[in-house]
Amino acid sequence: ALPISNFGSYNPLTGQQVTGTGTIAVTCTGTANETINYSVALTSGYGSYSTRNMSYGGASMTYNLYLDSSYLQIWGDGTGGTSVLSDTMTLVSTSLTKYYTIYGRINSNQRQLGAGNYGDSITITLNYN
């Protein structure tokens, strides 16, 4: 499961977007001064990359996850117009951790939604070389 913070309450009557953030931690171990290149990809969950879906019962709430606070780069696996996070880490000792913010936004104008705890399941894939 993706360690994203709770979006909080969404009021469908206002029709406004709701945003939230979470953090992904990447920890690498090895030898001091070793450089590690890696990428972090996310699955689409119950929906597609263009429109992820959180579900509750038979209802579906659309949202998406982004690499940037401007909500322009959809965080995915590099297909269908999505982006992956790519970075390099040079170990100063035998272990180092970097933290990355993931930006989430529930889409506006979902006035048909009923009350409930909506959820989705996203898998994080870390590739390194």
Side-chain angles (χ1 to χ4, degrees):
L2 182 64
I4 219 167
S5 62
N6 187 329
F7 279 111
S9 296
Y10 176 78
N11 183 347
L13 299 177
T14 66
Q16 300 201 356
Q17 297 173 343
V18 174
T19 60
T21 60
T23 303
I24 294 175
V26 175
T27 302
C28 294
T29 58
T31 57
N33 299 316
E34 180 180 4
T35 298
I36 301 168
N37 299 307
Y38 58 93
S39 64
V40 180
L42 304 180
T43 61
S44 61
Y46 296 128
S48 65
Y49 284 118
S50 61
T51 307
R52 285 181 165 106
N53 292 302
M54 289 186 277
S55 62
Y56 175 74
S60 183
M61 176 186 296
T62 61
Y63 78 104
N64 224 322
L65 302 173
Y66 301 86
L67 281 166
D68 61 319
S69 60
S70 299
Y71 305 98
L72 298 175
Q73 297 178 55
I74 295 173
W75 197 335
D77 65 358
T79 63
T82 66
S83 300
V84 296
L85 181 138
S86 296
D87 204 355
T88 300
M89 188 181 303
T90 301
L91 301 178
V92 293
S93 64
T94 58
S95 179
L96 182 64
T97 301
K98 280 190 175 181
Y99 299 91
Y100 301 95
T101 301
I102 184 166
Y103 300 89
R105 181 171 63 187
I106 296 173
N107 298 330
S108 60
N109 297 320
Q110 299 187 66
R111 291 190 166 94
Q112 79 286 359
L113 295 173
N117 292 320
Y118 291 77
D120 194 4
S121 181
I122 303 292
T123 301
I124 302 168
T125 303
L126 174 65
N127 293 305
Y128 64 93
N129 53 14

